[in-house]
Amino acid sequence: MFGSCCILVIYFGDNMRSLFLLFLILITLPAHSLEIKKYDYKRYVAGNAYIQVDITCNKPSDRLYKSAKYRLLRYQRSYKPQTIKKYLKTIVICEKLRTGNEKWMRGTYNVQKRMLIIEVDRKTDDLEYVFHHEFSSILLLTNPDMKKFATQWIKNNRSDYGSDWNNGSDTGWNAENRSIRKKGFMYPYCLTSFENDFNIIASFYKSGYLKSSLNSISFRYPLIRKKYLLVKKFYNKY
């Protein structure tokens, strides 16, 4: 699809026999395939190929939606155009996002539909972080070398991942804890799973306002530094 077309004609002389050059310039602009929309009361399902859950949320105000859409279009430019085209089709913006009885969520994803569902409000300015956090799950779970990557990643752990969400969430999920950082985990939330561990470092790496913090932490903790380098290498293709 052509985004625009223009014809440039350059004349030399004033009569009909004068030499002229005709340049036909077709400027092809890729159509924007990413849809960013308000929550529209449809049924949405979040998850990967193995675990899927129904989500509920409220329709955001026009002001919140327009602000979020403008910023998300800016954030997605940090990826290669083909990455967005291949791995991300839709972003649904909503308020008061929930899955079942869980009220802590700021975002979630659906791998098969290449969709992100992101919560916005007037109190918390974390849209850039949440976008990269949720999108990193889609990129990770669709990566053909994920198992190999996970093996390399886990070599930098000095503690096992736990299955109890409450161990790393709710109050204190992002507490600065030297003990766990020495074991290769930036925050308590990272202890919950490999995916969540990856999400944190990936989103810090991709979020402009958080990257300096990641640099500082990784400088002091060698195991986190190794994970940081794995993330940088991972994102080279995206």
Side-chain angles (χ1 to χ4, degrees):
M1 178 182 294
F2 295 118
S4 63
C5 172
C6 64
I7 299 175
L8 173 62
V9 181
I10 304 178
Y11 292 95
F12 295 91
D14 297 323
N15 54 57
M16 294 297 295
R17 290 178 297 178
S18 299
L19 176 65
F20 72 91
L21 300 176
L22 174 64
F23 295 91
L24 178 62
I25 305 173
L26 295 178
I27 305 173
T28 304
L29 301 175
H32 205 291
S33 59
L34 176 60
E35 179 186 19
I36 302 177
K37 63 181 184 179
K38 284 184 179 182
Y39 174 69
D40 50 9
Y41 303 104
K42 291 182 179 178
R43 179 177 179 262
Y44 289 101
V45 176
N48 52 42
Y50 307 103
I51 301 174
Q52 295 194 341
V53 294
D54 285 315
I55 69 103
T56 59
C57 61
N58 294 350
K59 189 174 183 178
S61 67
D62 287 343
R63 183 176 180 180
L64 279 175
Y65 165 71
K66 290 177 181 178
S67 174
K69 181 177 180 179
Y70 172 80
R71 294 168 63 190
L72 287 166
L73 288 173
R74 187 170 79 246
Y75 300 150
Q76 60 91 28
R77 294 190 191 110
S78 68
Y79 299 90
K80 296 176 181 179
Q82 58 266 34
T83 297
I84 298 298
K85 183 177 181 180
K86 184 175 181 179
Y87 297 104
L88 187 58
K89 182 179 180 181
T90 307
I91 302 178
V92 179
I93 300 172
C94 64
E95 288 190 89
K96 298 182 179 179
L97 177 62
R98 303 286 185 273
T99 59
N101 295 322
E102 302 291 354
K103 301 178 180 180
W104 44 265
M105 301 185 72
R106 292 293 288 172
T108 188
Y109 62 88
N110 185 303
V111 173
Q112 284 70 40
K113 293 187 176 181
R114 295 178 292 156
M115 178 175 66
L116 303 181
I117 304 171
I118 297 178
E119 180 184 66
V120 294
D121 58 40
R122 292 183 175 85
K123 298 178 181 179
T124 311
D125 186 13
D126 60 357
L127 182 62
E128 183 177 8
Y129 169 84
V130 174
F131 167 65
H132 292 302
H133 183 112
E134 302 304 333
F135 191 34
S136 71
S137 282
I138 293 180
L139 297 179
L140 178 67
L141 297 172
T142 55
N143 190 296
D145 298 320
M146 187 187 75
K147 289 185 178 180
K148 180 180 177 180
F149 181 79
T151 299
Q152 295 174 326
W153 185 276
I154 293 171
K155 286 180 180 179
N156 301 302
N157 292 353
R158 297 299 179 266
S159 182
D160 295 330
Y161 293 118
S163 60
D164 185 359
W165 162 255
N166 291 319
N167 284 338
S169 68
D170 221 359
T171 57
W173 74 269
N174 61 346
E176 296 185 11
N177 187 311
R178 291 183 181 180
S179 176
I180 66 169
R181 286 183 175 178
K182 289 180 180 178
K183 296 178 181 179
F185 306 96
M186 276 184 64
Y187 295 107
Y189 178 76
C190 297
L191 286 161
T192 57
S193 71
F194 158 62
E195 181 183 342
N196 292 336
D197 193 12
F198 172 80
N199 291 153
I200 290 287
I201 296 182
S203 51
F204 268 67
Y205 172 65
K206 293 295 292 183
S207 298
Y209 73 106
L210 293 172
K211 196 168 184 178
S212 61
S213 295
L214 176 59
N215 285 330
S216 178
I217 293 169
S218 65
F219 179 78
R220 286 177 286 162
Y221 299 95
L223 293 174
I224 293 176
R225 176 67 178 175
K226 291 179 180 179
K227 290 182 177 180
Y228 178 21
L229 294 176
L230 285 172
V231 164
K232 290 178 70 175
K233 184 177 180 180
F234 177 90
Y235 274 95
N236 282 340
K237 68 177 289 187
Y238 299 111

